[in-house]
Amino acid sequence: MHTAPNGVEYYTFSIFDNQPVTTLFTTRNGGVSTGCYSSLNFGFPSGDAAPLVRQNYELLAQCFGTTGDNLVTSAQTHTNNVLVVDDRHRGMGITRPKDFADIDALVTNTPELVLVTAHADCTPVQFYDSVHHVIAAAHSGWMGTLKNISQQVLRTMSDRFGTHPEDVLVAIGPSLCQDCFEVDEDVALRFYEADTRYREFSYQKGIKHYLDLRGIISLELRTEGVLPSHIEVSNLCTKCHPELFFSHRNMGVKRGVMASAMMLTK
């Protein structure tokens, strides 16, 4: 874990070392929010005071050497919808309204534009095409994973920028571990019916099923052609570490969210 000069605590991913990208995943610590949102909350709809959330985003921007005017946030609704963003989108979601909705992944080849997705148990996935210099950030909860949002990201990168999956580096960040991702049988069956290989990433205890979403996402990436050696998977669980992370499973709806953020440098 790292602590920025302004107090923001965050994790980085070694897969991106020595690459022209800056990426991080925040903890819940180092911000200005209070109460159940203490302290580094990035959720405007959470019930937290908007000026405090906006100040937290400015603290995040400082970690990238920029301001909130150069951030763009997703519009998450657990879809597999992907949006390519550029200079026209700078500041959307922070300093000015978004002109898009229902977007759980962002893609860009625009330098110094910070892509931000929000998380409180759902899996953050970050992508970097080391040949065409394209980045992407995805929010992959269980619904997004079932809809294979990672596949949609890679295909969008390919269609728009000529990306080849074997050139892509991917980080799968802190999220629920398998032992903490308990689901009812109907959810588990949806996964098994979508791809029988998903059963390899599950176990059953009584009437409950436990899914390894990070393992399933890794499988989806490899199926698309991402090299196993190009995938880094965090072993940090957001529910197991309440001192570090907000967790929907731990806290319910009255809590903050962390930020997964990345920027292509010049």
Side-chain angles (χ1 to χ4, degrees):
M1 186 174 68
H2 307 274
T3 304
N6 61 11
V8 170
E9 291 184 0
Y10 61 91
Y11 286 89
T12 58
F13 306 107
S14 61
I15 195 78
F16 300 127
D17 288 349
N18 304 313
Q19 302 293 336
V21 292
T22 303
T23 76
L24 58 81
F25 184 82
T26 66
T27 72
R28 62 179 293 176
N29 303 317
V32 297
S33 296
T34 61
C36 63
Y37 310 108
S38 177
S39 63
L40 191 59
N41 170 37
F42 296 100
F44 280 110
S46 64
D48 195 2
L52 298 181
V53 177
R54 190 168 292 108
Q55 190 172 341
N56 286 335
Y57 273 106
E58 291 296 340
L59 292 172
L60 176 67
Q62 289 171 15
C63 296
F64 290 84
T66 188
T67 66
D69 292 321
N70 292 311
L71 276 58
V72 57
T73 64
S74 51
Q76 296 167 195
T77 51
H78 297 276
T79 69
N80 64 351
N81 296 333
V82 182
L83 178 68
V84 177
V85 294
D86 54 31
D87 285 326
R88 296 169 296 172
H89 299 90
R90 290 185 186 273
M92 286 191 178
I94 312 300
T95 59
R96 61 194 183 104
K98 300 170 188 172
D99 65 358
F100 57 87
D102 301 319
I103 296 296
D104 280 75
L106 301 169
V107 176
T108 195
N109 70 341
T110 302
E112 300 184 350
L113 175 63
V114 183
L115 309 182
V116 185
T117 55
H119 304 265
D121 286 339
C122 291
T123 312
V125 190
Q126 298 184 348
F127 305 74
Y128 171 57
D129 175 352
S130 59
V131 173
H132 297 89
H133 304 296
V134 181
I135 59 173
H139 164 261
S140 189
W142 75 260
M143 286 184 281
T145 301
L146 183 62
K147 297 171 184 175
N148 207 339
I149 190 171
S150 292
Q151 178 191 76
Q152 293 301 313
V153 168
L154 289 166
R155 294 186 178 183
T156 299
M157 294 171 71
S158 176
D159 291 344
R160 292 292 299 271
F161 303 106
T163 293
H164 299 289
E166 61 268 24
D167 298 324
V168 178
L169 307 176
V170 181
I172 300 173
S175 54
L176 288 175
C177 69
Q178 182 172 8
D179 292 339
C180 289
F181 189 54
E182 171 192 295
V183 298
D184 292 329
E185 184 176 39
D186 62 328
V187 173
L189 288 176
R190 291 176 66 179
F191 276 89
Y192 305 155
E193 291 166 0
D195 192 325
T196 57
R197 296 177 298 170
Y198 292 162
R199 287 187 177 271
E200 301 173 24
F201 302 95
S202 70
Y203 68 85
Q204 187 172 357
K205 186 184 296 183
I207 63 172
K208 296 295 184 179
H209 295 249
Y210 296 80
L211 300 180
D212 177 8
L213 281 189
R214 293 182 288 206
I216 291 173
I217 293 167
S218 295
L219 172 64
E220 292 173 341
L221 292 165
R222 296 194 305 272
T223 299
E224 286 301 299
V226 178
L227 301 177
S229 61
H230 286 182
I231 303 171
E232 177 181 350
V233 183
S234 172
N235 61 3
L236 288 168
C237 173
T238 46
K239 183 181 178 183
C240 290
H241 296 282
E243 77 284 2
L244 291 175
F245 303 115
F246 298 110
S247 168
H248 182 76
R249 295 269 174 147
N250 269 339
M251 304 174 69
V253 295
K254 294 291 287 184
R255 42 97 188 131
V257 295
M258 287 82 64
S260 170
M262 65 187 312
M263 180 184 76
L264 184 67
T265 56
K266 285 187 176 179

